[in-house]
Amino acid sequence: MTTRQLANRLFAQMTILLVLYGAAALFAAVKFLPGDALAVSLPYNQIVGVRNVLLDLAIWTGLLAGGLTLLSEAAGSARSPLLTWVYRGWTALLVLSLLAAILDLLEGRYLLELPVILDLVLIVLAALALAGTVEVARTTTGSVWWLGMALAIVCVIAGMIPPANPAQDRVLRALAVGAKFHIAYAVAGSAIAIAVLSKLRPRTSLALPAGLAVAGALAAISPLAAVGEGSAGLLLGLIGAAAYPFFVVIALRGARAPGWITLGLGMIAAGGVLSTAAAIPQVGATMAGTGLSELVIFLTALGVVLLAWAASPPSGAALVWVAVGAVVSGVAALLAGIVQVYVERVLTVGFLDTQMALAPLFVIWIVGLAVLAAGLGLAALPGQRAG
Amino acid sequence: MNGRLIFVIVLLLGLAAVVVNVVAAWQNATADPVPEDVSAGFAVWGTQGCEGCHTLYGQGGGYAPDLTRIIHQRGADYLRAFMVNPGAFHPNQRQMPRFTLTETEVDQLIALLDWTSSARFAADWPPRPLQVAGGGALFNTSVAQAVPGEDPVLTRGRAVFGQRCASCHSIEPGVVLTGPSLAGIADRAWHRVIGLGAQEYIRNSILHPSDYVVEGFADVMQKNFADLLSSSDIDALIAYLMQFGEASS
């Protein structure tokens, strides 16, 4: 198959993964409401493991598809036996991962649930994909994408190191989860966004990926602030938080940026502001383990998916639904997180009572996720590709 | 300089910052030796998927309370009883499913939670104690201050009760949570144990709950209040509970 065809196939796989992710995210969220009838028979941890794996694989698939699009534009859409084999392997990996999820074979490490053996398969396939796309690294944006992907592979390897105790696990997470989402994925996704934007205006600037790379470092280590390391102090934390909107605005300036890119960058900036603010020791220690610290990862993750998607965006109607869903669910989760931090962490009201009190905000959050899931479903329908 | 080179330098700087912090934190995480049952407990923690719902050191799923210091708050006996039958605790709240854990596995999990709470790693976290249910400054301040002119000892007793006891005991007649309602306790306490006065009975119930187990209840009241409460707090609690005679129920 040609690189262009392969990219299209991978984008199709990504949309399927996203639709499944939307359903799982919705299902998991409903469990936050009081009186969940399936609390014991289909417990939260199982749903959420499936949800996290689906999202992570959707990001990988989307970023690979975006990279192949860059390659086909840079070097012409040529046949590539190597990449065709990688695509077949990737399809098998997705099928095996779904099977592992259905058969409850996922691992019990939050956000690192993919079984180690499948991690290994993923690393091999991703490395082969990078070998098949070295040519893209001759272009400016292509090289940024390539480096981001290579870093993501390193982060997956870090996640395979077995920790002896939860303290070590928490530290490894700064690489395996933090650096992966906030640096590797964000850099690779922003490279795709810049490649799209550079078609709309004369100049290509790497300010955005460079800004995300430094600010992302602060975001990656911020969970360590809660354990006395990785603390940035007030000033550095504020500078880091300000860096996200700054570089996003710089990147969007001067081009009528497509909606998928604007939304994606907005979500990355929102997640980035939250996570770099958490590098301020007092803030990080207070918000660790609340809904806010979870929200960070999901804003960033979905933002990256939207950037990758921008290389081959679905129709505008789907965008409206996705945008409304993302904003409504994001704002509701943000408010719920802030209220949780205040009530549970500052007033020290019990966790369970706080969760009860948050039920109205959870309802709005769930409605937002339902709209998001509907938007993702709409985008997956055939004939929804714009242009 | 060309943009690509600047980007690579910036990326490397960012990664260096991450690596420096990770190395420092890793040393901190490896400072305490890890006993075998703790590693075993951590393996059980992973295979049972506890982390999908719970956080440790503030990381993990946000569906259930953080467990880093739970042993300090509840004591091992309570946790043992809880893990065997979680459904019996905090009814009408979010429920934890029941896991089929062997006795050894429960012990290993408790060893793990003991380790997380005592390891030097993250010794300063969380900044304020985290409660599972009840409690909170809300209860301490607004409710406690709602009685003008009250003896400050009773106010203190009410606050401590809200923080430490209200998750298992109601003071409304007939409301059974994990423990019995304490309405009418001032009178009941007189005839619980021959030779113990009401105040002594309540004090003993707090410090040594297993000495007398109320009929129809399991012996799951936590056994570590002697460590958690100062003697003046216990006096205040007793004074507070002694207000609830039969007339109040």
Short mmCIF file of all heavy atoms in Angstrom, two decimals, chain A residues 160-215:
data_model
loop_
_atom_site.label_atom_id
_atom_site.label_comp_id
_atom_site.label_asym_id
_atom_site.label_seq_id
_atom_site.Cartn_x
_atom_site.Cartn_y
_atom_site.Cartn_z
N MET A 160 8.05 -0.13 31.43
CA MET A 160 8.17 -1.58 31.57
C MET A 160 9.10 -1.98 32.71
O MET A 160 9.17 -3.16 33.07
CB MET A 160 8.68 -2.18 30.26
CG MET A 160 7.65 -2.08 29.14
SD MET A 160 8.34 -2.53 27.55
CE MET A 160 8.65 -4.26 27.82
N ILE A 161 9.83 -1.02 33.26
CA ILE A 161 10.70 -1.32 34.40
C ILE A 161 9.81 -1.68 35.58
O ILE A 161 8.94 -0.90 35.95
CB ILE A 161 11.57 -0.10 34.77
CG1 ILE A 161 12.42 0.32 33.58
CG2 ILE A 161 12.42 -0.40 36.00
CD1 ILE A 161 13.16 1.63 33.80
N PRO A 162 9.99 -2.87 36.18
CA PRO A 162 9.09 -3.24 37.28
C PRO A 162 9.50 -2.52 38.58
O PRO A 162 10.65 -2.65 39.02
CB PRO A 162 9.29 -4.75 37.41
CG PRO A 162 10.60 -5.04 36.76
CD PRO A 162 10.94 -3.93 35.83
N PRO A 163 8.60 -1.76 39.18
CA PRO A 163 8.91 -1.10 40.44
C PRO A 163 8.77 -2.07 41.62
O PRO A 163 7.92 -2.96 41.59
CB PRO A 163 7.86 0.00 40.54
CG PRO A 163 6.71 -0.53 39.77
CD PRO A 163 7.24 -1.46 38.73
N ALA A 164 9.63 -1.89 42.65
CA ALA A 164 9.57 -2.80 43.79
C ALA A 164 8.56 -2.35 44.81
O ALA A 164 8.12 -3.13 45.65
CB ALA A 164 10.94 -2.92 44.44
N ASN A 165 8.19 -1.10 44.78
CA ASN A 165 7.23 -0.59 45.76
C ASN A 165 6.49 0.59 45.14
O ASN A 165 6.91 1.12 44.11
CB ASN A 165 7.94 -0.21 47.07
CG ASN A 165 8.92 0.94 46.86
OD1 ASN A 165 8.58 1.95 46.26
ND2 ASN A 165 10.13 0.78 47.36
N PRO A 166 5.40 1.02 45.77
CA PRO A 166 4.63 2.09 45.16
C PRO A 166 5.41 3.40 45.04
O PRO A 166 5.14 4.19 44.14
CB PRO A 166 3.42 2.26 46.09
CG PRO A 166 3.74 1.50 47.31
CD PRO A 166 4.75 0.47 46.96
N ALA A 167 6.38 3.62 45.92
CA ALA A 167 7.15 4.86 45.83
C ALA A 167 7.92 4.89 44.51
O ALA A 167 7.90 5.88 43.78
CB ALA A 167 8.09 4.98 47.03
N GLN A 168 8.59 3.78 44.19
CA GLN A 168 9.32 3.72 42.93
C GLN A 168 8.38 3.84 41.74
O GLN A 168 8.68 4.48 40.74
CB GLN A 168 10.11 2.41 42.83
CG GLN A 168 11.25 2.34 43.81
CD GLN A 168 12.02 1.05 43.71
OE1 GLN A 168 11.60 0.12 43.01
NE2 GLN A 168 13.14 0.97 44.40
N ASP A 169 7.22 3.22 41.87
CA ASP A 169 6.24 3.30 40.79
C ASP A 169 5.87 4.75 40.51
O ASP A 169 5.76 5.17 39.37
CB ASP A 169 4.99 2.50 41.15
CG ASP A 169 3.95 2.54 40.05
OD1 ASP A 169 3.13 3.48 40.05
OD2 ASP A 169 4.00 1.66 39.19
N ARG A 170 5.67 5.51 41.59
CA ARG A 170 5.28 6.92 41.43
C ARG A 170 6.35 7.71 40.71
O ARG A 170 6.06 8.65 39.98
CB ARG A 170 5.00 7.56 42.80
CG ARG A 170 3.57 7.42 43.31
CD ARG A 170 2.98 6.14 42.96
NE ARG A 170 1.55 6.00 43.17
CZ ARG A 170 0.88 4.98 42.69
NH1 ARG A 170 1.45 4.04 41.97
NH2 ARG A 170 -0.40 4.87 42.92
N VAL A 171 7.61 7.34 40.95
CA VAL A 171 8.71 8.07 40.31
C VAL A 171 8.80 7.70 38.82
O VAL A 171 8.88 8.57 37.95
CB VAL A 171 10.03 7.77 41.03
CG1 VAL A 171 11.17 8.46 40.33
CG2 VAL A 171 9.95 8.22 42.47
N LEU A 172 8.73 6.39 38.53
CA LEU A 172 8.80 5.95 37.14
C LEU A 172 7.70 6.57 36.29
O LEU A 172 7.85 6.82 35.10
CB LEU A 172 8.70 4.42 37.07
CG LEU A 172 9.94 3.66 37.49
CD1 LEU A 172 9.66 2.17 37.52
CD2 LEU A 172 11.09 3.97 36.54
N ARG A 173 6.56 6.81 36.96
CA ARG A 173 5.43 7.40 36.28
C ARG A 173 5.74 8.76 35.67
O ARG A 173 5.13 9.17 34.69
CB ARG A 173 4.36 7.62 37.34
CG ARG A 173 3.05 7.12 37.03
CD ARG A 173 2.30 6.96 38.33
NE ARG A 173 1.92 5.60 38.39
CZ ARG A 173 0.91 5.13 37.66
NH1 ARG A 173 0.19 5.94 36.94
NH2 ARG A 173 0.63 3.87 37.68
N ALA A 174 6.66 9.51 36.28
CA ALA A 174 7.01 10.83 35.74
C ALA A 174 7.54 10.67 34.32
O ALA A 174 7.34 11.53 33.47
CB ALA A 174 8.03 11.51 36.62
N LEU A 175 8.22 9.54 34.05
CA LEU A 175 8.70 9.27 32.69
C LEU A 175 7.63 8.57 31.87
O LEU A 175 7.29 8.99 30.77
CB LEU A 175 9.95 8.36 32.74
CG LEU A 175 11.21 8.95 33.34
CD1 LEU A 175 12.26 7.86 33.50
CD2 LEU A 175 11.74 10.05 32.44
N ALA A 176 7.10 7.47 32.44
CA ALA A 176 6.24 6.58 31.66
C ALA A 176 4.90 7.21 31.33
O ALA A 176 4.30 6.89 30.31
CB ALA A 176 6.03 5.27 32.41
N VAL A 177 4.42 8.09 32.18
CA VAL A 177 3.15 8.76 31.92
C VAL A 177 3.39 10.25 31.65
O VAL A 177 3.02 10.77 30.60
CB VAL A 177 2.16 8.58 33.09
CG1 VAL A 177 0.88 9.35 32.82
CG2 VAL A 177 1.87 7.11 33.33
N GLY A 178 4.05 10.92 32.60
CA GLY A 178 4.21 12.38 32.50
C GLY A 178 4.95 12.80 31.24
O GLY A 178 4.42 13.56 30.42
N ALA A 179 6.18 12.30 31.07
CA ALA A 179 6.97 12.73 29.91
C ALA A 179 6.33 12.25 28.61
O ALA A 179 6.41 12.91 27.58
CB ALA A 179 8.40 12.21 30.03
N LYS A 180 5.67 11.09 28.66
CA LYS A 180 5.05 10.57 27.44
C LYS A 180 3.94 11.50 26.95
O LYS A 180 3.93 11.92 25.80
CB LYS A 180 4.51 9.16 27.67
CG LYS A 180 3.97 8.51 26.41
CD LYS A 180 3.67 7.04 26.60
CE LYS A 180 2.35 6.84 27.31
NZ LYS A 180 1.93 5.43 27.31
N PHE A 181 3.02 11.84 27.86
CA PHE A 181 1.89 12.68 27.44
C PHE A 181 2.33 14.12 27.23
O PHE A 181 2.02 14.72 26.21
CB PHE A 181 0.77 12.64 28.49
CG PHE A 181 -0.08 11.41 28.39
CD1 PHE A 181 0.26 10.26 29.09
CD2 PHE A 181 -1.22 11.39 27.61
CE1 PHE A 181 -0.51 9.12 29.01
CE2 PHE A 181 -2.00 10.26 27.51
CZ PHE A 181 -1.64 9.12 28.21
N HIS A 182 3.02 14.67 28.22
CA HIS A 182 3.25 16.12 28.20
C HIS A 182 4.39 16.53 27.28
O HIS A 182 4.43 17.67 26.84
CB HIS A 182 3.51 16.63 29.61
CG HIS A 182 2.32 16.51 30.51
ND1 HIS A 182 1.15 17.19 30.27
CD2 HIS A 182 2.10 15.77 31.62
CE1 HIS A 182 0.27 16.89 31.21
NE2 HIS A 182 0.82 16.01 32.03
N ILE A 183 5.35 15.62 27.04
CA ILE A 183 6.44 16.01 26.12
C ILE A 183 6.31 15.26 24.80
O ILE A 183 6.11 15.87 23.75
CB ILE A 183 7.82 15.75 26.76
CG1 ILE A 183 7.91 16.48 28.11
CG2 ILE A 183 8.92 16.26 25.82
CD1 ILE A 183 9.25 16.34 28.78
N ALA A 184 6.41 13.92 24.85
CA ALA A 184 6.50 13.16 23.60
C ALA A 184 5.25 13.33 22.72
O ALA A 184 5.34 13.77 21.57
CB ALA A 184 6.73 11.68 23.92
N TYR A 185 4.09 12.99 23.28
CA TYR A 185 2.86 13.11 22.49
C TYR A 185 2.62 14.56 22.08
O TYR A 185 2.22 14.85 20.95
CB TYR A 185 1.65 12.61 23.30
CG TYR A 185 1.57 11.12 23.51
CD1 TYR A 185 0.67 10.59 24.43
CD2 TYR A 185 2.36 10.23 22.80
CE1 TYR A 185 0.55 9.22 24.65
CE2 TYR A 185 2.27 8.86 23.00
CZ TYR A 185 1.36 8.36 23.93
OH TYR A 185 1.25 7.02 24.14
N ALA A 186 2.81 15.48 23.04
CA ALA A 186 2.51 16.88 22.75
C ALA A 186 3.40 17.41 21.64
O ALA A 186 2.94 18.12 20.73
CB ALA A 186 2.67 17.73 24.01
N VAL A 187 4.69 17.04 21.66
CA VAL A 187 5.62 17.51 20.62
C VAL A 187 5.24 16.90 19.27
O VAL A 187 5.15 17.61 18.26
CB VAL A 187 7.07 17.14 21.02
CG1 VAL A 187 7.98 17.18 19.80
CG2 VAL A 187 7.57 18.10 22.09
N ALA A 188 4.99 15.58 19.24
CA ALA A 188 4.64 14.94 17.97
C ALA A 188 3.35 15.51 17.41
O ALA A 188 3.24 15.79 16.21
CB ALA A 188 4.53 13.43 18.17
N GLY A 189 2.36 15.71 18.29
CA GLY A 189 1.08 16.26 17.84
C GLY A 189 1.24 17.68 17.33
O GLY A 189 0.67 18.05 16.30
N SER A 190 2.04 18.47 18.03
CA SER A 190 2.18 19.87 17.61
C SER A 190 2.93 19.94 16.28
O SER A 190 2.70 20.87 15.50
CB SER A 190 2.88 20.69 18.69
OG SER A 190 4.23 20.30 18.81
N ALA A 191 3.81 18.98 16.01
CA ALA A 191 4.50 18.97 14.72
C ALA A 191 3.50 18.81 13.58
O ALA A 191 3.58 19.50 12.55
CB ALA A 191 5.52 17.84 14.68
N ILE A 192 2.52 17.93 13.79
CA ILE A 192 1.50 17.74 12.75
C ILE A 192 0.68 19.01 12.58
O ILE A 192 0.40 19.46 11.46
CB ILE A 192 0.59 16.55 13.12
CG1 ILE A 192 1.43 15.27 13.18
CG2 ILE A 192 -0.55 16.40 12.13
CD1 ILE A 192 0.71 14.08 13.76
N ALA A 193 0.34 19.63 13.72
CA ALA A 193 -0.44 20.87 13.66
C ALA A 193 0.33 21.94 12.89
O ALA A 193 -0.24 22.65 12.05
CB ALA A 193 -0.77 21.36 15.07
N ILE A 194 1.62 22.06 13.16
CA ILE A 194 2.42 23.09 12.50
C ILE A 194 2.54 22.83 11.01
O ILE A 194 2.50 23.74 10.20
CB ILE A 194 3.81 23.12 13.14
CG1 ILE A 194 3.65 23.69 14.51
CG2 ILE A 194 4.75 23.96 12.31
CD1 ILE A 194 4.86 24.30 15.01
N ALA A 195 2.64 21.54 10.67
CA ALA A 195 2.73 21.21 9.25
C ALA A 195 1.45 21.66 8.53
O ALA A 195 1.50 22.20 7.42
CB ALA A 195 2.94 19.71 9.08
N VAL A 196 0.30 21.45 9.19
CA VAL A 196 -0.96 21.88 8.59
C VAL A 196 -1.00 23.40 8.51
O VAL A 196 -1.35 23.98 7.48
CB VAL A 196 -2.16 21.35 9.39
CG1 VAL A 196 -3.46 21.91 8.85
CG2 VAL A 196 -2.17 19.83 9.37
N LEU A 197 -0.60 24.06 9.60
CA LEU A 197 -0.66 25.52 9.63
C LEU A 197 0.29 26.14 8.61
O LEU A 197 -0.01 27.20 8.04
CB LEU A 197 -0.30 26.03 11.03
CG LEU A 197 -1.36 25.81 12.12
CD1 LEU A 197 -0.82 26.23 13.48
CD2 LEU A 197 -2.62 26.59 11.78
N SER A 198 1.44 25.47 8.38
CA SER A 198 2.42 26.10 7.49
C SER A 198 1.94 26.12 6.05
O SER A 198 2.47 26.83 5.22
CB SER A 198 3.78 25.40 7.60
OG SER A 198 3.66 24.10 7.12
N LYS A 199 0.89 25.30 5.76
CA LYS A 199 0.31 25.39 4.42
C LYS A 199 -0.55 26.65 4.29
O LYS A 199 -0.87 27.07 3.20
CB LYS A 199 -0.59 24.17 4.18
CG LYS A 199 0.19 22.91 3.86
CD LYS A 199 -0.76 21.81 3.45
CE LYS A 199 -0.58 20.61 4.35
NZ LYS A 199 -1.74 19.73 4.39
N LEU A 200 -0.94 27.20 5.45
CA LEU A 200 -1.86 28.34 5.43
C LEU A 200 -1.12 29.67 5.51
O LEU A 200 -1.72 30.72 5.44
CB LEU A 200 -2.84 28.25 6.60
CG LEU A 200 -3.65 26.96 6.66
CD1 LEU A 200 -4.42 26.85 7.95
CD2 LEU A 200 -4.59 26.89 5.47
N ARG A 201 0.17 29.61 5.75
CA ARG A 201 0.94 30.85 5.81
C ARG A 201 2.38 30.55 5.48
O ARG A 201 2.82 29.40 5.54
CB ARG A 201 0.82 31.48 7.20
CG ARG A 201 1.41 30.57 8.26
CD ARG A 201 1.68 31.29 9.55
NE ARG A 201 1.99 30.26 10.51
CZ ARG A 201 1.47 30.20 11.72
NH1 ARG A 201 0.64 31.12 12.13
NH2 ARG A 201 1.82 29.24 12.53
N PRO A 202 3.12 31.57 5.12
CA PRO A 202 4.45 31.34 4.56
C PRO A 202 5.47 30.75 5.53
O PRO A 202 6.30 29.94 5.15
CB PRO A 202 4.89 32.74 4.12
CG PRO A 202 4.01 33.70 4.85
CD PRO A 202 2.73 32.98 5.08
N ARG A 203 5.39 31.09 6.80
CA ARG A 203 6.51 30.85 7.70
C ARG A 203 6.25 29.60 8.55
O ARG A 203 5.14 29.36 9.00
CB ARG A 203 6.61 32.08 8.60
CG ARG A 203 7.80 32.22 9.44
CD ARG A 203 7.74 33.62 10.06
NE ARG A 203 6.40 33.91 10.59
CZ ARG A 203 6.00 33.53 11.79
NH1 ARG A 203 6.80 32.89 12.59
NH2 ARG A 203 4.78 33.81 12.20
N THR A 204 7.28 28.80 8.79
CA THR A 204 7.16 27.68 9.72
C THR A 204 8.01 27.97 10.93
O THR A 204 9.21 28.17 10.81
CB THR A 204 7.67 26.38 9.07
OG1 THR A 204 6.99 26.20 7.84
CG2 THR A 204 7.40 25.19 9.98
N SER A 205 7.38 28.00 12.10
CA SER A 205 8.16 28.27 13.31
C SER A 205 8.04 27.09 14.25
O SER A 205 6.97 26.50 14.40
CB SER A 205 7.62 29.53 13.99
OG SER A 205 7.89 29.47 15.37
N LEU A 206 9.15 26.75 14.89
CA LEU A 206 9.12 25.64 15.83
C LEU A 206 8.93 26.12 17.26
O LEU A 206 9.18 25.38 18.22
CB LEU A 206 10.42 24.83 15.73
CG LEU A 206 10.61 24.09 14.41
CD1 LEU A 206 11.82 23.19 14.47
CD2 LEU A 206 9.37 23.28 14.06
N ALA A 207 8.45 27.36 17.41
CA ALA A 207 8.27 27.90 18.77
C ALA A 207 7.30 27.02 19.56
O ALA A 207 7.53 26.76 20.75
CB ALA A 207 7.75 29.32 18.70
N LEU A 208 6.23 26.55 18.89
CA LEU A 208 5.24 25.77 19.64
C LEU A 208 5.81 24.46 20.19
O LEU A 208 5.78 24.24 21.41
CB LEU A 208 4.01 25.50 18.76
CG LEU A 208 2.95 24.62 19.42
CD1 LEU A 208 2.29 25.35 20.58
CD2 LEU A 208 1.89 24.19 18.43
N PRO A 209 6.37 23.59 19.35
CA PRO A 209 6.93 22.36 19.94
C PRO A 209 8.04 22.64 20.95
O PRO A 209 8.14 21.93 21.97
CB PRO A 209 7.46 21.58 18.74
CG PRO A 209 7.37 22.46 17.57
CD PRO A 209 6.40 23.55 17.88
N ALA A 210 8.85 23.66 20.70
CA ALA A 210 9.92 23.95 21.66
C ALA A 210 9.32 24.40 22.99
O ALA A 210 9.74 23.95 24.07
CB ALA A 210 10.84 25.04 21.11
N GLY A 211 8.30 25.27 22.91
CA GLY A 211 7.64 25.73 24.14
C GLY A 211 7.00 24.57 24.88
O GLY A 211 7.13 24.45 26.10
N LEU A 212 6.31 23.69 24.12
CA LEU A 212 5.67 22.55 24.77
C LEU A 212 6.70 21.63 25.40
O LEU A 212 6.46 21.01 26.44
CB LEU A 212 4.82 21.76 23.77
CG LEU A 212 3.59 22.47 23.20
CD1 LEU A 212 2.79 21.52 22.32
CD2 LEU A 212 2.71 23.01 24.31
N ALA A 213 7.89 21.53 24.78
CA ALA A 213 8.91 20.63 25.32
C ALA A 213 9.41 21.11 26.68
O ALA A 213 9.56 20.31 27.60
CB ALA A 213 10.07 20.50 24.34
N VAL A 214 9.66 22.41 26.83
CA VAL A 214 10.13 22.87 28.16
C VAL A 214 9.01 22.92 29.17
O VAL A 214 9.16 22.44 30.31
CB VAL A 214 10.78 24.28 28.15
CG1 VAL A 214 12.27 24.17 28.09
CG2 VAL A 214 10.20 25.17 27.12
N ALA A 215 7.86 23.49 28.77
CA ALA A 215 6.76 23.57 29.73
C ALA A 215 6.31 22.15 30.09
O ALA A 215 5.95 21.87 31.24
CB ALA A 215 5.60 24.37 29.14
#
